[in-house]
Amino acid sequence: MASFKPTKVQFLPKLGENVTEDTLYWKNYKSPVQIKEFGAITKIDFSPLPPHNYAVTASTRIHVYGLHSQEPIRSFTRFRDTAYGGSFRGDGKLLVAGSEEGLIRLFDISGRVALRQFTGHSKAVHMTSFLSDGFRVVSGSDDLTCRVWDVPSAVELSSITEHTDYIRALAPSKLNPDLFVTGSYDHTVKVFDMRSGSSVMTMQHGHPVECVLLYPSEALLVSTGGRYVKIWDLLKGGQELVSLKNHHKTVTCACLSSVGNKLLTGSLDRHVKVYNSSYKVVHNFDCDASILSMAVAPDDEVVAVGMTNGVLSVRHRKHKKDKETLTSRRRRGPSYRVFVKGKNFVPRQDDFLVSKPVKQYLRKYDKQLKSFEVSKALDTALQTWTRTSKPEVTVAVIIELNRRGTLKNALLLNYWLGRFCVLFFRHIFDPRFSRPLLMVGDIVLDLYQQVLHQSPVVERQLQRLMEVLGREAELQQELLQVLGILDTLFASPTPRKEVAALAALPVDQGPQLQAA
């Protein structure tokens, strides 16, 4: 029998046929930091200027994060419905976003209130972006139109109606302020020129287009849709150069790195693939859920990925200086004699014991109330464990917010309606909590009566809330009637004859009367 010789396994990556410099470059990222958002993350956009903060659009909010922060440094929550397409201007001072209600809002990055509001779309606006001059905004909507808006006057400049299905992809030109590219679910990619007012080029992608992307030279165009990633040569009239099919599910997003213009694509198959200049996959990032959005910082320091489960995955590049600093700070651990030191020590009779004061730690909601974060304090108090095990804590936080006069604002800024309804239905008949809960119930009905019919879930909850409030009001009315009857009985005077007879009795007959 021939002897079997196992092959030698190489664990350290070296340059070769399968491992290239591009592979080693993209392997040099730390483990991802996971940040939980309020809903599926539909758009991530980095500010073009340092310090390269990035805006994350999820649910009804847009959060702005720093490169190394895990808490948002700025939040925009003035959306009544789902927000889409938060994008920075070229100077990083303005932010534009669309919404499910068809409105486009323009924000100053240092403020909270919208500076401009563009109205004209009849359906959801999924894509918004600034043109390269910074004074115009282009938007793509589900009403099959693409519109251009003037920022100073908030006036619509033009409306393009060449697509026949939803517009879900948009890429403005950085070299020409009058050019932009759109992609639609009608399987087409169009290049529009504002000077002519119509499309100058049309490409057939063959699948619903999810993302379009222009290379810095703007000679090449990338479109993604279905399982395909296609590269088009605009200098040759939109000729297809490459068609890539490396993903197993729909490719939802694409972006370019600043070093070497490497192409990155994200898909519903939970993979991020990195392509070299020959459009071969040189690296792959795995994620925990399907990918909806992705962006790379202008200096390649951060790769941010947004997923359908509302998790933001952030990867930072490793640096040699960081490794050297960690190595220099590494100290030798304590020896065994340090742990056994004082093991057999016995105090003397004349020793004086000095007691160390016990530090009092505040609860999370107390810290948030102390720092005037009323919305977060209410959100913490309405968490499942607190409202079920300690409902008195939740009610106490509500009373404190009402005392400060910030209860209404806290209710407006929280995604808490379902949790509050559970608390309300469980403890409304508890005499300890009925009065503050009835007060909050009235406020909730006043706040949400205008949007009652927009969601069937909210409508059912609010209808049940109104029924419980009505029953409680009727019960209190009946109790007040009973209380009035009892007050009348207790206040009725004792008959005078009995009072006179009791007053005429001798003193020594008092005990006999009591005995009788």
Side-chain angles (χ1 to χ4, degrees):
M1 180 182 293
S3 60
F4 174 74
K5 295 182 179 179
T7 57
K8 185 178 180 180
V9 180
Q10 186 110 17
F11 292 97
L12 296 177
K14 294 184 179 180
L15 294 178
E17 295 182 358
N18 298 326
V19 180
T20 62
E21 292 182 359
D22 293 332
T23 303
L24 295 178
Y25 179 84
W26 291 102
K27 279 181 176 290
N28 198 22
Y29 279 88
K30 301 177 183 178
S31 299
V33 177
Q34 308 286 348
I35 302 174
K36 181 63 178 175
E37 282 288 344
F38 290 89
I41 301 173
T42 56
K43 182 67 181 292
I44 303 173
D45 188 51
F46 279 89
S47 175
L49 299 181
H52 301 306
N53 298 332
Y54 56 98
V56 178
T57 307
S59 185
T60 59
R61 308 181 183 194
I62 299 178
H63 287 161
V64 179
Y65 292 89
L67 284 183
H68 300 281
S69 66
Q70 297 185 23
E71 293 291 335
I73 59 178
R74 182 73 60 187
S75 297
F76 301 98
T77 58
R78 303 291 182 176
F79 296 92
R80 295 182 180 178
D81 211 331
T82 307
Y84 298 111
S87 303
F88 282 103
R89 195 168 72 170
D91 56 2
K93 295 182 179 179
L94 294 180
L95 182 75
V96 65
S99 64
E100 184 69 28
E101 52 192 327
L103 299 178
I104 304 169
R105 292 179 174 86
L106 183 71
F107 297 94
D108 185 354
I109 197 63
S110 60
R112 293 182 182 273
V113 182
L115 299 178
R116 296 284 188 276
Q117 183 169 291
F118 308 107
T119 58
H121 286 292
S122 59
K123 291 185 179 181
V125 180
H126 282 262
M127 300 305 300
T128 57
S129 182
F130 285 95
L131 294 178
S132 58
D133 57 7
F135 298 105
R136 289 177 294 175
V137 170
V138 60
S139 60
S141 170
D142 286 353
D143 61 4
L144 317 185
T145 64
C146 185
R147 301 173 190 249
V148 181
W149 312 84
D150 182 56
V151 171
S153 60
V155 175
E156 180 183 328
L157 299 178
S158 64
S159 176
I160 302 172
T161 59
E162 295 191 17
H163 284 291
T164 59
D165 208 334
Y166 297 160
I167 301 173
R168 294 294 176 87
L170 178 65
S173 170
K174 295 184 179 179
L175 303 180
N176 190 338
D178 294 320
L179 287 178
F180 59 90
V181 183
T182 60
S184 171
Y185 278 8
D186 60 6
H187 301 188
T188 62
V189 178
K190 294 180 180 292
V191 181
F192 290 99
D193 189 349
M194 287 290 298
R195 292 168 294 187
S196 63
S198 62
S199 62
V200 296
M201 204 175 301
T202 301
M203 286 77 74
Q204 293 291 334
H205 183 83
H207 294 82
V209 181
E210 300 286 348
C211 178
V212 291
L213 180 66
L214 283 169
Y215 272 76
S217 64
E218 299 190 358
L220 298 179
L221 171 67
V222 182
S223 64
T224 68
R227 294 173 55 192
Y228 293 90
V229 178
K230 295 188 177 183
I231 315 297
W232 310 87
D233 190 348
L234 299 183
L235 299 180
K236 295 183 179 180
Q239 179 181 350
E240 181 181 333
L241 294 181
V242 183
S243 180
L244 307 173
K245 192 179 179 182
N246 299 102
H247 289 280
H248 302 292
K249 293 184 179 180
T250 301
V251 184
T252 55
C253 53
C255 61
L256 291 172
S257 67
S258 60
V259 178
N261 293 331
K262 298 298 185 295
L263 176 65
L264 288 81
T265 58
S267 169
L268 296 179
D269 61 6
R270 304 184 300 173
H271 295 299
V272 175
K273 296 188 182 294
V274 184
Y275 301 86
N276 60 8
S277 55
S278 302
Y279 301 109
K280 293 183 179 179
V281 178
V282 295
H283 191 60
N284 182 78
F285 294 109
D286 294 332
C287 297
D288 298 331
S290 299
I291 300 169
L292 289 181
S293 57
M294 177 179 55
V296 180
D299 51 2
D300 285 358
E301 289 296 312
V302 177
V303 176
V305 178
M307 292 173 276
T308 55
N309 59 353
V311 173
L312 175 67
S313 176
V314 183
R315 301 172 189 264
H316 296 269
R317 281 192 62 80
K318 299 177 184 177
H319 296 282
K320 293 182 179 179
K321 295 181 180 180
D322 299 338
K323 296 180 181 178
E324 294 174 358
T325 304
L326 291 175
T327 305
S328 61
R329 291 181 179 178
R330 189 175 297 169
R331 298 176 58 185
R332 183 181 177 184
S335 59
Y336 175 74
R337 62 183 179 180
V338 175
F339 293 105
V340 300
K341 183 178 180 181
K343 181 179 180 181
N344 300 322
F345 176 78
V346 179
R348 300 176 184 177
Q349 294 183 355
D350 55 348
D351 285 345
F352 180 76
L353 177 63
V354 178
S355 61
K356 184 179 179 181
V358 180
K359 186 177 180 180
Q360 297 291 335
Y361 292 94
L362 293 177
R363 298 286 184 181
K364 186 177 181 180
Y365 49 83
D366 286 330
K367 293 180 181 179
Q368 292 165 344
L369 287 173
K370 193 174 181 180
S371 58
F372 300 99
E373 297 176 347
V374 294
S375 177
K376 293 182 179 179
L378 181 60
D379 199 12
T380 303
L382 285 171
Q383 289 180 355
T384 304
W385 185 88
T386 306
R387 72 169 186 266
T388 54
S389 302
K390 295 184 177 180
E392 63 275 5
V393 172
T394 306
V395 176
V397 172
I398 292 174
I399 294 174
E400 175 62 20
L401 294 178
N402 184 46
R403 187 189 67 81
R404 295 186 180 188
T406 57
L407 179 60
K408 191 171 183 179
N409 293 334
L411 297 177
L412 280 172
L413 299 177
N414 271 276
Y415 184 75
W416 56 268
L417 184 58
R419 290 179 285 175
F420 169 74
C421 289
V422 173
L423 175 73
F424 184 88
F425 299 144
R426 180 174 296 181
H427 300 289
I428 183 60
F429 299 109
D430 192 332
R432 299 177 298 167
F433 310 136
S434 58
R435 181 173 294 181
L437 290 180
L438 285 173
M439 173 195 64
V440 182
D442 292 336
I443 296 176
V444 168
L445 292 178
D446 292 339
L447 292 177
Y448 286 90
Q449 62 182 354
Q450 297 179 355
V451 296
L452 180 64
H453 303 289
Q454 294 184 5
S455 172
V457 178
V458 175
E459 185 176 0
R460 286 196 300 269
Q461 290 178 341
L462 293 182
Q463 284 180 352
R464 188 181 174 192
L465 186 64
M466 292 174 62
E467 292 175 1
V468 175
L469 284 174
R471 279 185 290 166
E472 183 65 18
E474 292 176 0
L475 181 61
Q476 289 191 4
Q477 210 168 17
E478 294 177 359
L479 290 176
L480 288 175
Q481 294 176 0
V482 173
L483 184 61
I485 295 172
L486 292 176
D487 289 340
T488 305
L489 293 175
F490 292 148
S492 60
T494 307
R496 295 181 179 180
K497 294 182 179 180
E498 297 180 3
V499 174
L502 291 174
L505 287 174
V507 179
D508 55 352
Q509 292 184 6
Q512 297 178 5
L513 182 62
Q514 292 178 359

